[in-house]
Structure formats: structure tokens, C-alpha cells
Amino acid sequence: MLFYNLNKPEEKVDFRTATIMGLGSEKGLFFPEYIPLYPESWIYNLDAETDEEIAWYVMNQYVGDSMPEKTLRGILEETISFDIPLFNLSSRISALELFHGPTLAFKDVGARFMSRCLGHFMKGENRTVTVLVATSGDTGGAVASGFKDVEGVNVVILFPSGKVSLVQELQLTTSGRNITAYEVDGSFDDCQALVKQAFSDQDLNKKIFLTSANSINIARWLPQQIYYFLAWKQWNNKLKPPVISVPSGNFGNICAGLLAYHSGLPVSHFIAACNSNAVIPEYLRTGVYKPEKAKATLSNAMDVGDPSNFVRVLALFNSEFEPLKKVMSSESISDEDTGKALASIYKLYKYQADPHGAVGWLALNRWLEKHPDESGMFLETAHPVKFPEVVEKFTGHSVVIPESVSELFEKKKTSSKMAADYQLFRKELLTVR
């Protein structure tokens, strides 16, 4: 399979090249040249397949000849080497728990897959690649964990100062070695703008070899499909597909789900559950896409005012507004309602969600109230320990701290503070070795 540049369709590359490049020319995101359609005989018999076999079947469609089958299978075994359970809260609502990986967030799947792909592709290269990543919370920790000590790879992480939780900050600033973190005086959108500007700086790209580890990179974005298929494998009522509510910020996660849907995954409806950064809910209401400055919220990983991956969502629907609205709606949840949702989930189910999961649950709950014949799942994208003060405040119960998090508090934070100034960032990049 080839991937084309959404900003320059004549630019087409294979999976290896797209992974290494990260972005195409003119800041264009890569997109599959065609979308594979899986046979119903496979989709409705996933119970007979192992999780690893499902993962390979899906990802092999995109990776193809870019690496040997044995290598891809090995990468995927490591990618999903932890539980991804569908936890039933009630007869109508389930939580897909995506926080059982090493950094306790859904982004472990994409980061582990991409790091291993890039490590494989860089073998034999006599140059070092610098991986640039902007994070609004969980991406940085997942990337730091996934790429730590990967030969031939340096990682540079940008995060908005004061806008990530303590656990998130420790996860992305305590790895050391080939991981460098910059604390930017600004928002996630400012961090993302610096990354995009670096990729479009032709002179800089002649001096250092850059790629991205955000979900704009296909090797980060595409493997997120896997857990949607694993959720369907665990879904009890195959005659009535689920409504899926996805906490959404940069829209890579829900876009992967929509891609799986276009490949034949049975889904009744998608809900893009947003916080008060309501660019997409407004777009679906008015048909006008109007980026805004990101606002800080309790669900910080979704504090995005100009989601990069939404262009891929549009591509899936040929930029046709009405077909998109039939498949996906979007709900904006305030911080006040997020807090109430955290309390309600605990009161109803004795279940501690994180703020992002609470946004997903409330958006799903509102949909189900209007559609009493349906049932669904929300994606629980991070462990509540990443937001202990918020969760404890609204549930009235302390969060059990996993051993992996306890170890973080014994490590030394290493990061450099920086203004959201491209020329300053450019100088810093040239010093990373």
C-alpha cells in the first residue's frame, strides 16, 4: 500500500518512508491510498482469533512489504503485550480500558508500535533521526517510554508548562539518555506549531534528520485501530453494534476508529466527546471550521483548538458534511459537568474514571438517554492516578497508586524551559545529539 500527502496528492510513499518522514511536503499528513475492506466472515468470527493475529491482520494491510512478516508480528506482540479489557459497568454501558500499558495511557499502543518500526527501519543507517513530539499530556510519556534507548533515535518532547499533570510531567521528563524535554511557555497548540514549523524548515531539515511521533505520523495513528477490533471481539451482542464515545482532542484516536469502521467494523455511531475546546462540535453544528486558542481544562490531553487529525476525518468522508454527520456527532462537556460525571460514575458503579473517560461517559450517557434501544462503550484513555487531585476531589476516594507510578517520584525531573519562539527552538534542536 502507498500513502499520499493530503496537501499534495501526487506525493506518494510506502509505509517505511511515511514513518520515517512523519509529514509530507507542505506540512501534509499522509493518508492510505485506499481503505481495505475486511470480509464479514472474519469480522464476525474474531472470537476464533488471538489478539495478536487480529493485530497482524489489520496492520499487515498497511505495512505490506515494508518489513518481513516475522518482524511485524514480533513488533505487534510487544505493542499489545498488556490487557485491553472491555469492562461492563451496566447492561448498556461499558468502558474500554486502554490504560494498562507501561505509561498508563491509550497512547502506549501507538507509541510502542511506532518506536519499534522506526528502530527497525533505522538499522544500518549511518545517521541519527530526531523524533519531534508535541504533547498535551499522555503522548510525551508514551513516546519517552517507547523510544527510550532505541539505537539511532533521539527524542525531543515539547509540553505546555503548567498544563500537564504531575504524573504526566514526570513520565516525560525523567527518562534522560536519548530523551530531551522542553517546557514551553504556551499551549499545546503552540507546541504543535513549533513542531510543524520545524518540519517545514528546509534548511533545518538539511542539517538534521527529523520525524514526528505525534498521531500525525501514520505509524502512531494506524495501530490505534487494533483496540477497536479487540473491543468488538469482546462485545457481547453482535446483532446490535455499539455506540462508541471517544474522548477527543487532536482526533487521531477517533479517526482510527472511523478508519476501522470504513473497513467494515460494526459501529452504530461515533461520538467525539470533547471538553470546552469545542471546535469540532461547532463545526458539526454550523459546517464552519474555525480554529480557536486552546483553553485549559480538567481533561488536559484534549486541550486542542486546532486538531491536526481532523483533516484525515474529512478525507474518510471525501469532505462531505452530511455523510460525516450521520456517522459521527460531537458533544462538548464543561469542567463543571466533568466533575459531576466523575462523581456520578463512582456513585453508580463504584468505578473511578479519569477526567477524559468522564467526558466520554457523559457524552455517551446523553446519547443513550435519547436512544433507549442502543448501548455502547466509552474509551477510558488514562489511569485515574494521572489526575489524583481531580479524581479524589469529585469521588471522595483516594486513587490506588500503581507501583510504576510510585517509582516515578524517586526520579529526577530534567527539562528546559523555553518561550514559544521558533528561532529559539531551532537553535535548541541543532544542539541535540
Side-chain angles (χ1 to χ4, degrees), residues 1 4 23 25 39 61 91 103 106-107 115 139 152 177 187 195 200 223 246 257 311 332 367 420 432:
M1 177 183 290
Y4 71 93
L23 275 175
S25 56
Q61 313 292 324
S91 60
T103 70
F106 80 97
K107 295 179 181 181
S115 64
T139 293
R177 299 180 184 175
S187 66
V195 169
S200 64
V246 185
V311 66
S332 176
W367 177 272
V432 174

PDB file of all heavy atoms in Angstrom, residues 1 4 23 25 39 61 91 103 106-107 115 139 152 177 187 195 200 223 246 257 311 332 367 420 432:
ATOM      1  N   MET A   1       0.834  -1.198   0.000  1.00  0.00           N
ATOM      2  CA  MET A   1       0.000   0.000   0.000  1.00  0.00           C
ATOM      3  C   MET A   1       0.874   1.255   0.000  1.00  0.00           C
ATOM      4  O   MET A   1       1.909   1.313   0.661  1.00  0.00           O
ATOM      5  CB  MET A   1      -0.916   0.020   1.223  1.00  0.00           C
ATOM      6  CG  MET A   1      -1.756   1.300   1.304  1.00  0.00           C
ATOM      7  SD  MET A   1      -2.802   1.457   2.747  1.00  0.00           S
ATOM      8  CE  MET A   1      -4.031   0.207   2.411  1.00  0.00           C
ATOM      9  N   TYR A   4      -0.606   8.800   0.405  1.00  0.00           N
ATOM     10  CA  TYR A   4      -0.446  10.056  -0.301  1.00  0.00           C
ATOM     11  C   TYR A   4      -0.563  11.239   0.656  1.00  0.00           C
ATOM     12  O   TYR A   4      -1.172  11.151   1.727  1.00  0.00           O
ATOM     13  CB  TYR A   4      -1.459  10.178  -1.449  1.00  0.00           C
ATOM     14  CG  TYR A   4      -2.900  10.380  -1.040  1.00  0.00           C
ATOM     15  CD1 TYR A   4      -3.438  11.655  -0.923  1.00  0.00           C
ATOM     16  CD2 TYR A   4      -3.737   9.287  -0.792  1.00  0.00           C
ATOM     17  CE1 TYR A   4      -4.766  11.843  -0.554  1.00  0.00           C
ATOM     18  CE2 TYR A   4      -5.054   9.462  -0.426  1.00  0.00           C
ATOM     19  CZ  TYR A   4      -5.566  10.745  -0.308  1.00  0.00           C
ATOM     20  OH  TYR A   4      -6.877  10.937   0.062  1.00  0.00           O
ATOM     21  N   LEU A  23       5.837  13.790   8.280  1.00  0.00           N
ATOM     22  CA  LEU A  23       4.980  14.668   7.495  1.00  0.00           C
ATOM     23  C   LEU A  23       5.465  14.719   6.065  1.00  0.00           C
ATOM     24  O   LEU A  23       6.665  14.599   5.794  1.00  0.00           O
ATOM     25  CB  LEU A  23       5.004  16.092   8.062  1.00  0.00           C
ATOM     26  CG  LEU A  23       4.064  16.462   9.213  1.00  0.00           C
ATOM     27  CD1 LEU A  23       4.366  17.878   9.672  1.00  0.00           C
ATOM     28  CD2 LEU A  23       2.613  16.336   8.818  1.00  0.00           C
ATOM     29  N   SER A  25       5.554  16.987   2.311  1.00  0.00           N
ATOM     30  CA  SER A  25       5.857  18.383   1.999  1.00  0.00           C
ATOM     31  C   SER A  25       4.614  19.242   2.224  1.00  0.00           C
ATOM     32  O   SER A  25       3.484  18.734   2.245  1.00  0.00           O
ATOM     33  CB  SER A  25       6.347  18.507   0.557  1.00  0.00           C
ATOM     34  OG  SER A  25       5.401  17.970  -0.344  1.00  0.00           O
ATOM     35  N   PRO A  39     -13.563  -8.960   5.181  1.00  0.00           N
ATOM     36  CA  PRO A  39     -14.745  -9.807   4.967  1.00  0.00           C
ATOM     37  C   PRO A  39     -15.538  -9.994   6.255  1.00  0.00           C
ATOM     38  O   PRO A  39     -14.965 -10.096   7.347  1.00  0.00           O
ATOM     39  CB  PRO A  39     -14.151 -11.128   4.480  1.00  0.00           C
ATOM     40  CG  PRO A  39     -12.735 -11.133   4.945  1.00  0.00           C
ATOM     41  CD  PRO A  39     -12.297  -9.698   4.956  1.00  0.00           C
ATOM     42  N   GLN A  61      -2.178  -5.007   6.319  1.00  0.00           N
ATOM     43  CA  GLN A  61      -2.777  -4.353   5.151  1.00  0.00           C
ATOM     44  C   GLN A  61      -2.029  -3.066   4.801  1.00  0.00           C
ATOM     45  O   GLN A  61      -1.959  -2.675   3.641  1.00  0.00           O
ATOM     46  CB  GLN A  61      -4.249  -4.004   5.436  1.00  0.00           C
ATOM     47  CG  GLN A  61      -5.079  -5.112   6.063  1.00  0.00           C
ATOM     48  CD  GLN A  61      -5.306  -6.286   5.127  1.00  0.00           C
ATOM     49  OE1 GLN A  61      -5.469  -6.110   3.925  1.00  0.00           O
ATOM     50  NE2 GLN A  61      -5.302  -7.491   5.693  1.00  0.00           N
ATOM     51  N   SER A  91     -25.766  -2.887  31.943  1.00  0.00           N
ATOM     52  CA  SER A  91     -26.234  -3.645  30.783  1.00  0.00           C
ATOM     53  C   SER A  91     -26.118  -2.834  29.495  1.00  0.00           C
ATOM     54  O   SER A  91     -26.133  -3.403  28.402  1.00  0.00           O
ATOM     55  CB  SER A  91     -27.686  -4.079  30.997  1.00  0.00           C
ATOM     56  OG  SER A  91     -28.523  -2.928  31.167  1.00  0.00           O
ATOM     57  N   THR A 103       2.828   3.251  30.431  1.00  0.00           N
ATOM     58  CA  THR A 103       2.654   4.623  30.900  1.00  0.00           C
ATOM     59  C   THR A 103       1.195   4.933  31.233  1.00  0.00           C
ATOM     60  O   THR A 103       0.812   6.085  31.401  1.00  0.00           O
ATOM     61  CB  THR A 103       3.185   5.656  29.882  1.00  0.00           C
ATOM     62  OG1 THR A 103       2.332   5.692  28.728  1.00  0.00           O
ATOM     63  CG2 THR A 103       4.597   5.339  29.450  1.00  0.00           C
ATOM     64  N   PHE A 106      -3.712   5.302  26.669  1.00  0.00           N
ATOM     65  CA  PHE A 106      -4.003   4.651  25.394  1.00  0.00           C
ATOM     66  C   PHE A 106      -2.893   4.839  24.373  1.00  0.00           C
ATOM     67  O   PHE A 106      -2.735   4.043  23.453  1.00  0.00           O
ATOM     68  CB  PHE A 106      -5.334   5.168  24.830  1.00  0.00           C
ATOM     69  CG  PHE A 106      -5.269   6.503  24.127  1.00  0.00           C
ATOM     70  CD1 PHE A 106      -5.170   6.580  22.753  1.00  0.00           C
ATOM     71  CD2 PHE A 106      -5.326   7.685  24.854  1.00  0.00           C
ATOM     72  CE1 PHE A 106      -5.132   7.803  22.104  1.00  0.00           C
ATOM     73  CE2 PHE A 106      -5.285   8.909  24.217  1.00  0.00           C
ATOM     74  CZ  PHE A 106      -5.179   8.974  22.836  1.00  0.00           C
ATOM     75  N   LYS A 107      -2.101   5.877  24.548  1.00  0.00           N
ATOM     76  CA  LYS A 107      -1.076   6.178  23.555  1.00  0.00           C
ATOM     77  C   LYS A 107       0.093   5.199  23.590  1.00  0.00           C
ATOM     78  O   LYS A 107       0.958   5.231  22.712  1.00  0.00           O
ATOM     79  CB  LYS A 107      -0.601   7.617  23.736  1.00  0.00           C
ATOM     80  CG  LYS A 107      -1.742   8.588  23.438  1.00  0.00           C
ATOM     81  CD  LYS A 107      -1.381  10.038  23.603  1.00  0.00           C
ATOM     82  CE  LYS A 107      -2.605  10.900  23.293  1.00  0.00           C
ATOM     83  NZ  LYS A 107      -2.350  12.336  23.411  1.00  0.00           N
ATOM     84  N   SER A 115       7.749   3.211  17.711  1.00  0.00           N
ATOM     85  CA  SER A 115       9.149   3.174  18.133  1.00  0.00           C
ATOM     86  C   SER A 115       9.848   1.934  17.598  1.00  0.00           C
ATOM     87  O   SER A 115      11.001   1.993  17.139  1.00  0.00           O
ATOM     88  CB  SER A 115       9.254   3.219  19.656  1.00  0.00           C
ATOM     89  OG  SER A 115       8.682   2.074  20.256  1.00  0.00           O
ATOM     90  N   THR A 139       0.907  11.775  25.413  1.00  0.00           N
ATOM     91  CA  THR A 139       1.774  11.379  24.309  1.00  0.00           C
ATOM     92  C   THR A 139       3.238  11.380  24.716  1.00  0.00           C
ATOM     93  O   THR A 139       3.991  10.458  24.399  1.00  0.00           O
ATOM     94  CB  THR A 139       1.569  12.303  23.096  1.00  0.00           C
ATOM     95  OG1 THR A 139       0.259  12.105  22.577  1.00  0.00           O
ATOM     96  CG2 THR A 139       2.579  12.000  21.994  1.00  0.00           C
ATOM     97  N   GLY A 152      20.006   4.857  17.425  1.00  0.00           N
ATOM     98  CA  GLY A 152      19.896   5.708  16.248  1.00  0.00           C
ATOM     99  C   GLY A 152      18.757   6.706  16.307  1.00  0.00           C
ATOM    100  O   GLY A 152      18.452   7.359  15.308  1.00  0.00           O
ATOM    101  N   ARG A 177      18.897  10.108  28.960  1.00  0.00           N
ATOM    102  CA  ARG A 177      19.564   9.438  27.839  1.00  0.00           C
ATOM    103  C   ARG A 177      19.190  10.080  26.509  1.00  0.00           C
ATOM    104  O   ARG A 177      19.512  11.231  26.263  1.00  0.00           O
ATOM    105  CB  ARG A 177      19.277   7.939  27.867  1.00  0.00           C
ATOM    106  CG  ARG A 177      19.802   7.280  29.143  1.00  0.00           C
ATOM    107  CD  ARG A 177      19.534   5.799  29.188  1.00  0.00           C
ATOM    108  NE  ARG A 177      19.957   5.236  30.456  1.00  0.00           N
ATOM    109  CZ  ARG A 177      19.774   3.984  30.822  1.00  0.00           C
ATOM    110  NH1 ARG A 177      19.177   3.133  30.003  1.00  0.00           N
ATOM    111  NH2 ARG A 177      20.183   3.564  31.996  1.00  0.00           N
ATOM    112  N   SER A 187       0.548  27.023  25.029  1.00  0.00           N
ATOM    113  CA  SER A 187      -0.440  25.947  24.985  1.00  0.00           C
ATOM    114  C   SER A 187       0.083  24.772  24.166  1.00  0.00           C
ATOM    115  O   SER A 187       1.154  24.849  23.537  1.00  0.00           O
ATOM    116  CB  SER A 187      -1.740  26.456  24.353  1.00  0.00           C
ATOM    117  OG  SER A 187      -1.521  26.771  22.984  1.00  0.00           O
ATOM    118  N   VAL A 195       6.569  22.334  16.240  1.00  0.00           N
ATOM    119  CA  VAL A 195       6.934  21.077  15.571  1.00  0.00           C
ATOM    120  C   VAL A 195       6.679  21.170  14.074  1.00  0.00           C
ATOM    121  O   VAL A 195       7.528  20.814  13.247  1.00  0.00           O
ATOM    122  CB  VAL A 195       6.155  19.895  16.193  1.00  0.00           C
ATOM    123  CG1 VAL A 195       6.305  18.640  15.336  1.00  0.00           C
ATOM    124  CG2 VAL A 195       6.631  19.624  17.608  1.00  0.00           C
ATOM    125  N   SER A 200       8.758  22.123   8.279  1.00  0.00           N
ATOM    126  CA  SER A 200       8.691  22.893   7.030  1.00  0.00           C
ATOM    127  C   SER A 200       9.935  23.746   6.791  1.00  0.00           C
ATOM    128  O   SER A 200      10.050  24.395   5.755  1.00  0.00           O
ATOM    129  CB  SER A 200       7.445  23.788   7.037  1.00  0.00           C
ATOM    130  OG  SER A 200       7.528  24.752   8.064  1.00  0.00           O
ATOM    131  N   PRO A 223      -2.057   2.047  14.173  1.00  0.00           N
ATOM    132  CA  PRO A 223      -2.250   0.903  15.089  1.00  0.00           C
ATOM    133  C   PRO A 223      -3.352   1.113  16.118  1.00  0.00           C
ATOM    134  O   PRO A 223      -3.767   0.150  16.769  1.00  0.00           O
ATOM    135  CB  PRO A 223      -0.873   0.752  15.763  1.00  0.00           C
ATOM    136  CG  PRO A 223      -0.222   2.083  15.612  1.00  0.00           C
ATOM    137  CD  PRO A 223      -0.706   2.613  14.300  1.00  0.00           C
ATOM    138  N   VAL A 246     -15.631   8.538  22.154  1.00  0.00           N
ATOM    139  CA  VAL A 246     -14.173   8.653  22.202  1.00  0.00           C
ATOM    140  C   VAL A 246     -13.769  10.037  22.709  1.00  0.00           C
ATOM    141  O   VAL A 246     -14.039  11.051  22.058  1.00  0.00           O
ATOM    142  CB  VAL A 246     -13.555   8.439  20.798  1.00  0.00           C
ATOM    143  CG1 VAL A 246     -12.027   8.432  20.891  1.00  0.00           C
ATOM    144  CG2 VAL A 246     -14.066   7.145  20.169  1.00  0.00           C
ATOM    145  N   GLY A 257     -10.636   4.894  14.757  1.00  0.00           N
ATOM    146  CA  GLY A 257     -11.883   4.143  14.866  1.00  0.00           C
ATOM    147  C   GLY A 257     -12.742   4.278  13.626  1.00  0.00           C
ATOM    148  O   GLY A 257     -13.340   3.303  13.151  1.00  0.00           O
ATOM    149  N   VAL A 311      -8.331  16.668   9.502  1.00  0.00           N
ATOM    150  CA  VAL A 311      -8.241  16.635   8.041  1.00  0.00           C
ATOM    151  C   VAL A 311      -8.335  15.194   7.534  1.00  0.00           C
ATOM    152  O   VAL A 311      -8.860  14.930   6.452  1.00  0.00           O
ATOM    153  CB  VAL A 311      -6.939  17.312   7.565  1.00  0.00           C
ATOM    154  CG1 VAL A 311      -5.703  16.547   8.000  1.00  0.00           C
ATOM    155  CG2 VAL A 311      -6.934  17.486   6.054  1.00  0.00           C
ATOM    156  N   SER A 332     -19.722  18.701  23.566  1.00  0.00           N
ATOM    157  CA  SER A 332     -18.792  19.493  24.372  1.00  0.00           C
ATOM    158  C   SER A 332     -19.217  19.408  25.833  1.00  0.00           C
ATOM    159  O   SER A 332     -20.363  19.704  26.175  1.00  0.00           O
ATOM    160  CB  SER A 332     -18.784  20.946  23.897  1.00  0.00           C
ATOM    161  OG  SER A 332     -17.949  21.738  24.731  1.00  0.00           O
ATOM    162  N   TRP A 367     -26.308  10.524  24.868  1.00  0.00           N
ATOM    163  CA  TRP A 367     -26.787   9.910  23.621  1.00  0.00           C
ATOM    164  C   TRP A 367     -27.774   8.781  23.920  1.00  0.00           C
ATOM    165  O   TRP A 367     -28.829   8.681  23.291  1.00  0.00           O
ATOM    166  CB  TRP A 367     -25.593   9.383  22.816  1.00  0.00           C
ATOM    167  CG  TRP A 367     -25.999   8.666  21.561  1.00  0.00           C
ATOM    168  CD1 TRP A 367     -26.305   7.342  21.431  1.00  0.00           C
ATOM    169  CD2 TRP A 367     -26.185   9.238  20.254  1.00  0.00           C
ATOM    170  NE1 TRP A 367     -26.646   7.039  20.140  1.00  0.00           N
ATOM    171  CE2 TRP A 367     -26.584   8.192  19.387  1.00  0.00           C
ATOM    172  CE3 TRP A 367     -26.034  10.521  19.738  1.00  0.00           C
ATOM    173  CZ2 TRP A 367     -26.838   8.392  18.034  1.00  0.00           C
ATOM    174  CZ3 TRP A 367     -26.286  10.729  18.388  1.00  0.00           C
ATOM    175  CH2 TRP A 367     -26.678   9.682  17.546  1.00  0.00           C
ATOM    176  N   ALA A 420       7.659  30.169  23.524  1.00  0.00           N
ATOM    177  CA  ALA A 420       7.102  29.601  22.288  1.00  0.00           C
ATOM    178  C   ALA A 420       7.606  30.410  21.100  1.00  0.00           C
ATOM    179  O   ALA A 420       6.853  31.059  20.377  1.00  0.00           O
ATOM    180  CB  ALA A 420       5.578  29.616  22.340  1.00  0.00           C
ATOM    181  N   VAL A 432      20.890  19.185  19.971  1.00  0.00           N
ATOM    182  CA  VAL A 432      20.520  17.845  20.444  1.00  0.00           C
ATOM    183  C   VAL A 432      21.307  16.797  19.665  1.00  0.00           C
ATOM    184  O   VAL A 432      21.258  16.744  18.447  1.00  0.00           O
ATOM    185  CB  VAL A 432      19.004  17.599  20.269  1.00  0.00           C
ATOM    186  CG1 VAL A 432      18.659  16.153  20.637  1.00  0.00           C
ATOM    187  CG2 VAL A 432      18.221  18.567  21.141  1.00  0.00           C
TER     188      VAL A 432
END
